[in-house]
Amino acid sequence: MTSFIQTSPTRTLSNTAQDHYIAAEAPFSTFIKKGQVVRIEDSYGQQAVDTLFYNAHDFSERYSSQDTMREQGAAYISTGTKVISNEGRVMLTVTADSCGRHDTSAGACSCESNTVRFGHYTKYLHACRDNFVIEVSKHGMSKRDVVPNINFFMNVPIEPSGEMTIVDGISAPGDYVELKAEMDVLLVISNCPQINNPCNGFDPTPIRVLVWDDEAA
């Protein structure tokens, strides 16, 4: 496969502060400093990227999907969205989005939910919640600290009735979302391993995470 990398005149691969390749189905975390810009790139298209943010200096302050949706009055994440913490503070701002919209209602897949949705034979398949628990444990947290997350690049239409369905993704190879950190944050990712619904096109693929300093943003 060929990765499709998009850059801007001020953000080039040569001036990145961080450049990470995240394998299919893998967890990942890194610290983002206030003022830095992080790009999450769907390198091959139709790959859900389950994402959480924590205050880098106080992990008890973390992403709140409810406060984020309430603050913006919309169900999806896109350009201009302010990512809000459970303390009501702005953690990051979405500054660019080549995909169009991102889910923050459907949550992360788990062994338990896979069993309910798809049958007992899926019980031992890898899941995002496992990835999150593995990754936050590296920072002294536990499964109690895994909260409802953002699903970048996951397509979850919400019907007028309130029903939600995970359908084929709309992200193309190289699509990305960029966020500017408004405080020092810990970024935690599960590169979604789900193969029982179309959130990953039934074929999980690698992603890329890049970080630029504020002067390059």
Side-chain angles (χ1 to χ4, degrees):
M1 288 190 248
T2 301
S3 176
F4 293 79
I5 309 299
Q6 300 185 37
T7 59
S8 69
T10 56
R11 286 192 283 279
T12 65
L13 297 182
S14 62
N15 64 8
T16 53
Q18 299 182 43
D19 187 351
H20 305 279
Y21 171 94
I22 296 94
E25 306 184 12
F28 168 78
S29 62
T30 190
F31 287 96
I32 313 296
K33 297 177 183 177
K34 180 179 179 179
Q36 287 185 320
V37 171
V38 57
R39 173 183 291 188
I40 301 171
E41 177 198 271
D42 185 359
S43 303
Y44 302 102
Q46 293 189 319
Q47 174 61 45
V49 183
D50 291 44
T51 305
L52 287 170
F53 295 103
Y54 299 83
N55 180 332
H57 305 291
D58 178 5
F59 295 153
S60 68
E61 182 175 13
R62 67 279 305 263
Y63 173 68
S64 170
S65 59
Q66 301 95 323
D67 290 305
T68 297
M69 287 189 287
R70 185 182 66 245
E71 174 72 16
Q72 66 175 333
Y76 298 106
I77 305 294
S78 191
T79 304
T81 297
K82 295 185 184 303
V83 175
I84 306 297
S85 76
N86 59 333
E87 299 291 339
R89 299 202 298 159
V90 180
M91 304 185 78
L92 307 97
T93 301
V94 180
T95 56
D97 177 12
S98 68
C99 177
R101 69 180 192 188
H102 308 268
D103 167 71
T104 190
S105 301
C109 60
S110 67
C111 294
E112 294 80 8
S113 64
N114 282 345
T115 300
V116 171
R117 293 173 179 171
F118 309 114
H120 287 283
Y121 71 93
T122 67
K123 181 177 181 180
Y124 300 104
L125 293 178
H126 198 46
C128 283
R129 186 164 177 81
D130 298 325
N131 273 347
F132 277 144
V133 172
I134 289 169
E135 202 62 26
V136 301
S137 69
K138 297 176 183 178
H139 302 280
M141 292 182 278
S142 71
K143 62 183 179 181
R144 288 177 176 267
D145 299 293
V146 177
V147 296
N149 56 285
I150 300 173
N151 293 305
F152 287 117
F153 310 111
M154 195 162 89
N155 189 18
V156 186
I158 300 175
E159 303 297 332
S161 64
E163 293 179 312
M164 300 186 301
T165 305
I166 298 172
V167 298
D168 291 340
I170 59 176
S171 54
D175 270 346
Y176 62 89
V177 60
E178 291 183 354
L179 304 97
K180 183 174 183 178
E182 308 293 353
M183 64 170 68
D184 295 344
V185 297
L186 170 66
L187 162 68
V188 180
I189 281 174
S190 169
N191 194 14
C192 183
Q194 182 62 263
I195 59 172
N196 298 290
N197 69 41
C199 69
N200 301 320
F202 301 101
D203 181 24
T205 53
I207 62 169
R208 195 171 188 176
V209 172
L210 302 101
V211 178
W212 287 269
D213 289 329
D214 54 355
E215 63 266 20

